[in-house]
Amino acid sequence: MTQAFHNRSVLRIATRKSPLALWQATHVGSLLQNVLPNISIEYVKRVTEGDRLLESRLADKGGKGLFVKELEIALTYKEADLAVHSMKDVPMSLPDGFALSAILKRAAVEDALVSLNNYNLVTLPPNARIGTSSLRRQTQLLALRPDLRIEPIRGNVQTRLNLLNNKGFDAIILAQAGLERLQIQGYDIVLIDPMDSVPAVGQGAIGIEIRADDAELHEFLMQHLNHSETALAVIAERRLNLALGGGCQFPIAGHATWQDQQLSLNGVVGNSIGYLLRAQAEEQFSTDVFNASHIKQAEQLGERVAGLLQRQGANQLIQDVKSELSKSDLSQTSPE
């Protein structure tokens, strides 16, 4: 057992109750157990407000922050020591008193077209009916196939698959990382090129949130669980979104990739009818070490790509989408 944990016998992990959230939490638990075999791992399971509001307009109720709030409450009252999240569901700014302490190595980042007929974006029939509640996915799909009929679907992965089976959709769109983690079988799954459907900020990455004052736990998680390249990529993506003033529920996409020691960030802003703005920039790093200097570089990269998009008119486009959301059911977004 490490010196930092000499007074701890238990680590409690806060998690939502969905199968995917539980997989992520137990994955983190197993990683912790490997390093700390003498510490017990307990799971604090919560149903979040976002889980309850299946028919509500989440953008009006607080967006995806509703999927982490109850977990943060468990941290606040010391009912849990850490909370595990899909990074694409974490609001761009955390409340005071909380910190993202580690981001695990990224899994598959792509969106996946899931069907029963081995469709891809080219072979989908004219006017195909596609299920997704993500405006990010909708705008990019319509840019490629304006004929598609995009309809909202909500619920966990299995609920959405059941809608594909029973509600007449030609295909639905899900994150490949979730399909892999849940070992989904029995469906035709075709990956969408991340240049055609630029992923959500943080997609494929798992993050660990803690109380900001838990210095020992922060140091331990940084040392043993944080993956430097993924963390810097996700920081750049999140700063892009934050600089644009958007949130998880708006059609803003960002995907950062490494080539040797260069981080490249691809950003997209769109609207509900498939109009897209695109920008890309790169930042050279001396090493892939996770330190304050490199964090600043990653943040600057996100701000630079946001600036390129703003010069193309991104601010007005986002404002128009916000106005549209306030008047329509497009705000019924959910974790992708």
Side-chain angles (χ1 to χ4, degrees):
M1 187 179 302
T2 66
Q3 184 65 26
F5 282 81
H6 64 283
N7 291 323
R8 304 196 192 204
S9 60
V10 177
L11 280 175
R12 297 158 301 168
I13 300 176
T15 175
R16 294 169 61 206
K17 290 185 175 181
S18 75
L20 182 55
L22 290 172
W23 184 97
Q24 293 171 164
T26 55
H27 176 62
V28 170
S30 67
L31 295 175
L32 291 169
Q33 198 78 77
N34 287 340
V35 182
L36 300 166
N38 296 322
I39 280 187
S40 297
I41 305 296
E42 296 180 358
Y43 299 94
V44 179
K45 302 172 185 177
R46 294 287 186 266
V47 176
T48 69
E49 190 69 9
D51 296 313
R52 299 186 193 101
L53 295 172
L54 290 179
E55 301 302 327
S56 298
R57 303 190 344 159
L58 298 185
D60 294 342
K61 301 292 184 179
K64 288 185 181 177
L66 295 173
F67 291 91
V68 303
K69 183 178 179 181
E70 275 80 359
L71 307 189
E72 291 174 339
I73 291 173
L75 291 174
T76 298
Y77 289 98
K78 298 189 176 180
E79 299 165 346
D81 302 294
L82 58 148
V84 175
H85 309 298
S86 292
M87 280 306 304
K88 64 185 175 62
D89 297 335
V90 178
M92 298 306 115
S93 296
L94 297 181
D96 290 341
F98 300 100
L100 280 171
S101 192
I103 299 176
L104 277 58
K105 185 176 182 179
R106 202 169 215 161
V109 72
E110 295 92 346
D111 286 328
L113 185 77
V114 185
S115 74
L116 302 174
N117 296 288
N118 201 31
Y119 288 135
N120 59 41
L121 289 180
V122 174
T123 61
L124 279 168
N127 303 307
R129 185 170 173 239
I130 309 298
T132 177
S133 288
S134 163
L135 280 177
R136 172 191 64 82
R137 289 172 175 152
Q138 174 177 322
T139 189
Q140 294 185 87
L141 287 172
L142 291 177
L144 295 167
R145 288 283 306 268
D147 62 299
L148 297 178
R149 293 179 297 144
I150 311 295
E151 298 184 20
I153 55 173
R154 287 210 51 204
N156 63 34
V157 171
Q158 192 55 58
T159 297
R160 299 183 196 205
L161 291 172
N162 290 340
L163 291 172
L164 172 63
N165 293 334
N166 301 314
K167 296 298 182 179
F169 288 100
D170 293 287
I172 63 174
I173 311 295
L174 296 170
Q176 176 65 7
L179 296 170
E180 290 180 356
R181 287 165 178 162
L182 294 176
Q183 298 182 324
I184 297 298
Q185 298 179 344
Y187 298 87
D188 297 318
I189 299 172
V190 176
L191 298 187
I192 303 174
D193 189 309
M195 292 301 293
D196 290 333
S197 184
V198 178
V201 166
Q203 185 158 313
I206 295 172
I208 301 176
E209 184 180 14
I210 65 170
R211 292 182 294 276
D213 61 1
D214 195 341
E216 286 186 343
L217 183 55
H218 172 72
E219 181 180 350
F220 174 83
L221 293 171
M222 282 290 295
Q223 179 181 352
H224 293 283
L225 269 66
N226 191 62
H227 185 257
S228 295
E229 288 191 355
T230 299
L232 291 170
V234 171
I235 286 169
E237 294 165 6
R238 287 171 61 82
R239 183 52 66 104
L240 160 70
N241 196 316
L242 186 64
L244 288 171
C248 302
Q249 67 267 40
F250 297 112
I252 299 172
H255 180 213
T257 57
W258 288 93
Q259 181 68 39
D260 297 324
Q261 291 173 190
Q262 180 174 276
L263 185 62
S264 176
L265 176 60
N266 183 24
V268 170
V269 177
N271 65 13
S272 62
I273 61 172
Y275 177 73
L276 299 179
L277 303 175
R278 297 181 182 271
Q280 183 173 333
E282 297 79 31
E283 182 76 15
Q284 189 72 37
F285 288 73
S286 57
T287 69
D288 62 358
V289 174
F290 190 79
N291 57 36
S293 175
H294 287 171
I295 291 171
K296 184 176 181 179
Q297 278 186 266
E299 291 173 341
Q300 290 172 338
L301 176 59
E303 291 168 359
R304 191 156 71 250
V305 175
L308 293 172
L309 289 165
Q310 287 167 332
R311 285 196 283 276
Q312 297 178 53
N315 288 347
Q316 185 60 55
L317 191 61
I318 292 169
Q319 189 57 47
D320 291 344
V321 171
K322 288 181 179 179
S323 177
E324 187 178 3
L325 285 172
S326 69
K327 301 174 184 177
S328 76
D329 290 338
L330 288 175
S331 54
Q332 293 182 353
T333 58
S334 64
E336 302 177 341

